[in-house]
Amino acid sequence: MKAIQIMQAGRVRLADVPKPVPEAGEVLVKIKYVGFCGSDLNTYLGKNPMVHLPVIPGHETGAVIESVGAHTPAHLKPGMACTLNPYTACGNCPSCRNGRPNACRYNQTLGVQRDGAMCEYLAVPWEKVIADEHISYRDFCLVEPMSVGFHAVSRAALTDSDTVMVIGCGMVGVGAVVRAALRGAKTIAVDVDGDKLALAKRLGAAHVINSQTEDVHEQLQSLTANGSGPDVVIEAVGAPVTYRMAVNEVAFTGRVVCIGYAKEETAFDTKWFVQKELDIRGSRNAMPADFRAVMEYLKRGNCPVDKLITGIYPPSEAQIALENWKAHPAKVFRILISFDVDS
């Protein structure tokens, strides 16, 4: 079967690899679409320390069940559209014992710590298959990245009386915007790109701030009660400047939720940690409930899915797709690879 491999920084190839055979308790899925995410781009750029090259990237999937192995539940049947939960959990580490397997100490995400889904077929444990015949193969690719944003909102314990600022309006960030708006919170979206901010507003942000052309602190003075700052800040960029912005701008006794990985050490004025008595929380991956919540949202039919998909490429043009993303990083939401020759 065909598979996309990132061989080294800046080099991708389309390879022939063995087609998997499902074992007992496994499901064989035929991949229709796979999304490139930020971790894949960093792998291509040689900036992902969690990856050992060569690797098959990809963990945002839209697929169809091809066949099922023995001892697979009857509700999973060939022909069903599905996506995959791409994470693993050891079951024994503190995270798993505490009921938070999304943050398993020994997690291996598809396409990061192990070969991923950017291939024609994949065999996975049946528990990782999330099927729903009311969502298209293409749209299923959006479920995992949006669920990461949904999970961050859950980590923030957001309520309808909160004001939340979401920094970064890529796919994960807009997922947080959607979830915050669904919970009735007053949502402020921050980004450097006007198109992304316009989409964030369409998805539920009450206000948007372009941090490249506007003073974020000054805008927050007028947008929050008594100029006190947002109750919650969700950092979805992963840069020192946005991490510091989150801590500096959040209200006293506020909550800061961090999704993005900063690529370098970040210095803070730590007096704010203590004086504001902040809750600073990490948010990693997503839980099955987050996947289900995104799927219910997509099935409502009012998500502008076409605006979230920047481009669709055949497997032979994977390197072109990554080069285009590298050249225009601020303009990309999601790039999909289509293994469906009939699409």
Side-chain angles (χ1 to χ4, degrees), residues 34-114:
V34 189
F36 271 127
C37 84
S39 63
D40 299 321
L41 179 62
N42 283 326
T43 299
Y44 177 71
L45 297 175
K47 297 179 179 180
N48 193 337
M50 294 183 287
V51 172
H52 295 287
L53 298 176
V55 69
I56 298 172
H59 56 260
E60 303 169 357
T61 53
V64 60
I65 297 176
E66 181 85 358
S67 63
V68 298
H71 312 305
T72 301
H75 73 273
L76 295 175
K77 299 179 177 63
M80 296 180 73
C82 64
T83 190
L84 305 176
N85 183 324
Y87 322 123
T88 63
C90 71
N92 297 312
C93 73
S95 300
C96 291
R97 293 198 303 270
N98 290 330
R100 291 160 66 179
N102 58 294
C104 175
R105 179 177 180 179
Y106 304 105
N107 168 67
Q108 293 188 337
T109 298
L110 286 172
V112 185
Q113 294 93 345
R114 57 187 172 133

Side-chain angles (χ1 to χ4, degrees), residues 159-173:
T159 71
D160 58 1
S161 63
D162 286 322
T163 295
V164 57
M165 177 169 71
V166 178
I167 308 174
C169 295
M171 271 301 303
V172 171

